[in-house]
Amino acid sequence: MSALINIAVFGVVGAVMMAALIGLLLATTARRSGAWVASVFSTVSVVLLIAVPALAVVNVRATVTGTGLGQAWLVAFAVVAIVYAANLFLLPLVRRRFAAVRDDRGARELRVSWSMLAGGVVLCALLAVCATAVAFPFT
């Protein structure tokens, strides 16, 4: 498989897993769960954002000959960026749900800004470095 196929497959799988995780988070907020639920979901999200790109790096290193560190990082970055884009598309749903549960006017007015997008690109780059560092020795 080529690197682009790995990006598409693992990106879609990661986005679907993140959407399912966000759906579970929204279902638990209906019961006004404690703060521990948010911390558990945050931990699982970070694990997901490192594990799925790491698996993509392992797969691309195993199937594409001559894959170096730079190409492995680019694959991990693209996979993380796809998952981050799925999060941005689900942000209005999460915002409305939390505003309804907590009756918070500020949560209703939350918008995606340029600084959020720029910070997301930096975060995607850092998560890609982590995923590449985790996966590169195993291939």
Side-chain angles (χ1 to χ4, degrees):
M1 287 189 340
S2 73
L4 291 176
I5 293 172
N6 278 315
I7 290 169
V9 169
F10 284 98
V12 168
V13 166
V16 168
M17 290 174 70
M18 189 60 74
L21 188 65
I22 289 172
L24 285 172
L25 178 64
L26 292 175
T28 58
T29 58
R31 295 181 293 177
R32 293 184 184 252
S33 302
W36 66 274
V37 173
S39 63
V40 167
F41 278 104
S42 300
T43 304
V44 172
S45 294
V46 170
V47 168
L48 179 78
L49 284 169
I50 292 175
V52 173
L55 289 172
V57 168
V58 168
N59 195 19
V60 80
R61 294 267 303 156
T63 58
V64 179
T65 57
T67 303
L69 185 63
Q71 186 176 3
W73 179 82
L74 284 174
V75 167
F77 178 77
V79 170
V80 172
I82 291 170
V83 175
Y84 182 71
N87 281 332
L88 284 180
F89 285 122
L90 292 173
L91 182 65
L93 178 67
V94 173
R95 182 186 69 228
R96 283 193 303 264
R97 180 65 179 170
F98 278 113
V101 169
R102 296 199 172 95
D103 196 30
D104 185 10
R105 178 171 236 119
R108 282 190 205 115
E109 297 169 2
L110 180 67
R111 300 282 184 249
V112 177
S113 65
W114 288 107
S115 61
M116 183 184 289
L117 292 174
V121 170
V122 171
L123 182 66
C124 288
L126 292 175
L127 286 170
V129 167
C130 292
T132 305
V134 166
F136 207 80
F138 294 110
T139 56

